[in-house]
Amino acid sequence: LQASACVTALSGSVIAPAQQRTPAEPAFAKTLRERVAAEGVGLSVAVIDGADVQFFSAGVKSAGQPQPTDADTLYEYGSITKTFTALLLADMVVRKELALEDSVETVLPKGLQLRDSQGAPIQWADLAVHRSGLPRLPANMTEATGDDPYRSYGHNELWRFFSTWKGDRERDAKWEYSNLGYGMLAEA
């Protein structure tokens, strides 16, 4: 992987010494090792300052791969992408391209409705704060296999799911974590 400014963690409890250290190791390198010892398998951080890139790591690639983490370790980045999706939504609101109270279905493929149990349109804000009433995952998603559980789930499957989905509660009635909702937010 190229250097990244985010810290990514995997669960577990194995530790290995940091792989790359500079003479002036920052205090957080020790913190990485402590975090891995307490609650993780592997952590990596890149500190980027212009052309200067320093890499720090602790732990191993996974419980099943005891090799130490390094600058080429691949991590599943998972839900951190929700942060970037929400940031793009916020930017669109600031630029007045949409309002959080607008209906999402105005940008969906023709004829596709995204409504709650009362027939009220799902709004951008509903998706962003996990109050859309959408389930965590779509019912037509096949069982996850391999490193990427969404590998075989694309636009066609998403639109097929929403062509038959009926909300079973009012939007904004209850918080429920929804990867599907954020997937729809990113698509829309």
Side-chain angles (χ1 to χ4, degrees):
L1 281 181
Q2 293 296 322
S4 172
C6 60
V7 175
T8 307
L10 300 171
S11 63
S13 62
V14 181
I15 184 162
Q19 295 303 300
Q20 220 172 322
R21 295 184 189 165
T22 62
E25 180 180 83
F28 71 79
K30 178 181 179 219
T31 302
L32 287 178
R33 291 188 300 279
E34 290 170 353
R35 277 301 283 267
V36 167
E39 58 186 283
V41 170
L43 292 166
S44 298
V45 172
V47 178
I48 304 169
D49 184 8
D52 181 37
V53 178
Q54 296 179 49
F55 181 82
F56 304 91
S57 68
V60 296
K61 293 183 179 183
S62 72
Q65 289 184 298
Q67 301 88 358
T69 57
D70 59 29
D72 295 319
T73 299
L74 297 176
Y75 290 97
E76 182 178 332
Y77 51 83
S79 291
I80 195 164
T81 59
K82 289 178 179 72
T83 304
F84 302 117
T85 301
L87 183 59
L88 291 171
L89 174 64
D91 184 57
M92 292 177 77
V93 170
V94 167
R95 290 186 287 142
K96 302 194 183 314
E97 294 177 15
L98 58 82
L100 291 175
E101 300 78 26
D102 291 347
S103 168
V104 175
E105 66 187 24
T106 61
V107 301
L108 299 181
K110 187 174 181 160
L112 192 61
Q113 292 188 329
L114 191 56
R115 306 267 171 132
D116 69 6
S117 63
Q118 306 301 304
I122 304 297
Q123 300 173 352
W124 295 100
D126 300 324
L127 295 174
V129 299
H130 298 280
R131 293 181 69 90
S132 64
L134 290 170
R136 181 175 178 272
L137 296 170
N140 67 335
M141 186 174 162
T142 58
E143 191 171 321
T145 58
D147 294 338
D148 182 359
Y150 299 98
R151 179 175 309 190
S152 63
Y153 198 85
H155 294 96
N156 292 337
E157 291 79 15
L158 183 67
W159 303 139
R160 196 172 308 119
F161 172 82
F162 281 113
S163 70
T164 61
W165 178 76
K166 303 289 183 217
D168 60 0
R169 67 172 174 254
E170 291 182 59
R171 65 168 196 78
D172 204 32
K174 178 183 171 189
W175 184 90
E176 182 178 358
Y177 189 83
S178 177
N179 285 335
L180 174 62
Y182 253 83
M184 174 52 86
L185 179 59
E187 282 297 315

